[in-house]
Amino acid sequence: MTRLALLLVLALSACGTPAWRDAAIPVRPAMGFELDRYLGEWYEIARFPNRFEEGCTDVTAAYDLNEDGTVAVTNSCPNRDEMAEGTAETTDDPAVLRVSFAPGWVPFATADYIVIWVDQGYQTAVVASPEAGLGWILARDRQPDAARLEEARDVLRANGYDPSALIEPVQVTGL
């Protein structure tokens, strides 16, 4: 757990934009985003390459509201028996969450996770962290509708990402 969190912090602090992200195109947060509808468990359907999730399958991300108004973030990689627990704070834009997986005493260990799209039923979402060139397609079910996935890829393109670089981890039914 600690190793995964440390790797996440290091990856987010790395300089440079990867080849699959055109930094000249601004990332636009989702309009009308509702955090309470976004909370809950999501399956990672696709991600851009990153060191902290290398080899992970059956990846999930869970978002739960804490009593103090922050959001508990739990990312799991069960095939490596790893879990990263962090905290997110809302910003002036509800679709932008400032996330940290590091202990509070570690400076500069936050990154903006921007929900750039969520479908009308909050069943599929696209999350980006443009400073690090990171991005994910998330869904409420392990095998979402192909049309929703293509819409998610279109959103990535419009926000400066090249979806051909996406990794689609295995999601095993029934875990």
Side-chain angles (χ1 to χ4, degrees):
M1 175 169 70
T2 303
R3 187 175 132 237
L4 184 61
L6 181 58
L7 287 173
L8 178 62
V9 169
L10 292 174
L12 292 176
S13 65
C15 296
T17 303
W20 56 82
R21 169 84 181 107
D22 182 350
I25 299 174
V27 170
R28 295 177 305 276
M31 299 292 292
F33 178 77
E34 298 175 39
L35 179 61
D36 61 323
R37 293 183 70 194
Y38 185 76
L39 298 173
E41 185 171 51
W42 293 87
Y43 296 99
E44 180 184 277
I45 304 305
R47 66 174 175 258
F48 287 100
N50 61 68
R51 290 183 185 186
F52 54 91
E53 286 186 284
E54 199 169 289
C56 283
T57 61
D58 302 308
V59 181
T60 60
Y63 302 89
D64 295 300
L65 196 59
N66 291 321
E67 288 184 20
D68 65 0
T70 61
V71 177
V73 181
T74 306
N75 295 334
S76 69
C77 172
N79 67 302
R80 291 190 343 203
D81 199 29
E82 292 182 349
M83 186 179 303
E85 295 178 328
T87 302
E89 293 182 9
T90 56
T91 63
D92 290 340
D93 187 325
V96 179
L97 298 172
R98 189 140 302 131
V99 180
S100 176
F101 287 95
W105 52 266
V106 177
F108 312 111
T110 61
D112 285 347
Y113 278 46
I114 304 170
V115 179
I116 59 176
W117 177 77
V118 63
D119 66 7
Q120 190 172 17
Y122 279 71
Q123 297 300 302
T124 310
V126 176
V127 179
S129 186
E131 300 84 21
L134 300 173
W136 297 267
I137 297 175
L138 306 174
R140 297 290 189 183
D141 50 292
R142 293 180 190 276
Q143 297 183 343
D145 177 79
R148 286 188 305 180
L149 291 180
E150 189 54 38
E151 194 170 354
R153 288 182 183 92
D154 288 344
V155 168
L156 285 166
R157 280 185 204 93
N159 283 273
Y161 286 86
D162 176 4
S164 70
L166 286 167
I167 294 169
E168 296 181 7
V170 174
Q171 283 291 344
V172 179
T173 306
L175 282 182

